[in-house]
Amino acid sequence: MIGRLNHVAIAVPDLAAASALYRGALGADVSEPQELPEHGVTVVFITLPNTKIELLEPLGEASPIAAFLAKNSAGGMHHICYEVDDLIVARDQLLASGLRVLGGDAPKIGAHGKPVLFLHPKDFNGVLVELEQK
Ligand code: CO
């Protein structure tokens, strides 16, 4: 079921500073910031040869990463995203295995314009897992 690693997402308290760090110290290819109000984040995409890194900064009052940053003030790894061939088939298999999908079982459109689902971190060794339709 599981396919390529699509991205690793890192929550950051200061997106401009984090972008400058990756661009400067690491020489990374860092996109312009993109506001995603429906997800409560501003994101930059860092393109690596084999995957992507996303830096996430809270946007708005009800940002889903605000609580995470309250606990991790310097920022931290927030989730990893795997690609799957068929998100609905993957979801149904996971639910049948007793694993939990967050926020209802219907896919939402993610930061890349493709359907995504999030899986409960307590079911995956403390890591929030995002699945993205390939
Ligand atoms: Co993601």
Side-chain angles (χ1 to χ4, degrees):
M1 176 206 291
I2 192 171
R4 287 165 49 93
L5 175 66
N6 184 276
H7 61 270
V8 175
I10 300 171
V12 303
D14 182 337
L15 192 58
S19 297
L21 179 69
Y22 274 80
R23 197 178 278 126
L26 295 178
D29 174 5
V30 181
S31 77
E32 289 305 309
Q34 203 175 315
E35 292 191 355
L36 301 173
E38 68 278 22
H39 293 286
V41 295
T42 304
V43 61
V44 304
F45 301 104
I46 299 172
T47 306
L48 304 180
N50 62 341
T51 190
K52 293 184 290 276
I53 305 293
E54 295 180 5
L55 304 179
L56 307 173
E57 182 186 63
L59 175 66
E61 293 302 306
S63 175
I65 64 169
F68 180 90
L69 280 169
K71 277 183 261 170
N72 304 276
S73 59
M77 205 205 82
H78 187 262
H79 66 269
I80 57 176
C81 177
Y82 302 119
E83 296 176 2
V84 294
D85 285 327
D86 187 319
L87 190 59
I88 299 303
V89 168
R91 176 199 66 189
D92 291 346
Q93 278 182 33
L94 290 159
L95 290 173
S97 305
L99 298 164
R100 291 169 284 180
V101 173
L102 295 176
D105 296 344
K108 296 193 170 70
I109 298 302
H112 305 281
K114 294 183 174 176
V116 300
L117 286 172
F118 285 91
L119 307 177
H120 203 300
K122 290 205 168 124
D123 293 342
F124 284 92
N125 307 105
V127 175
L128 177 61
V129 173
E130 179 180 20
L131 297 180
E132 182 175 289
Q133 174 78 46
K134 201 160 107 185

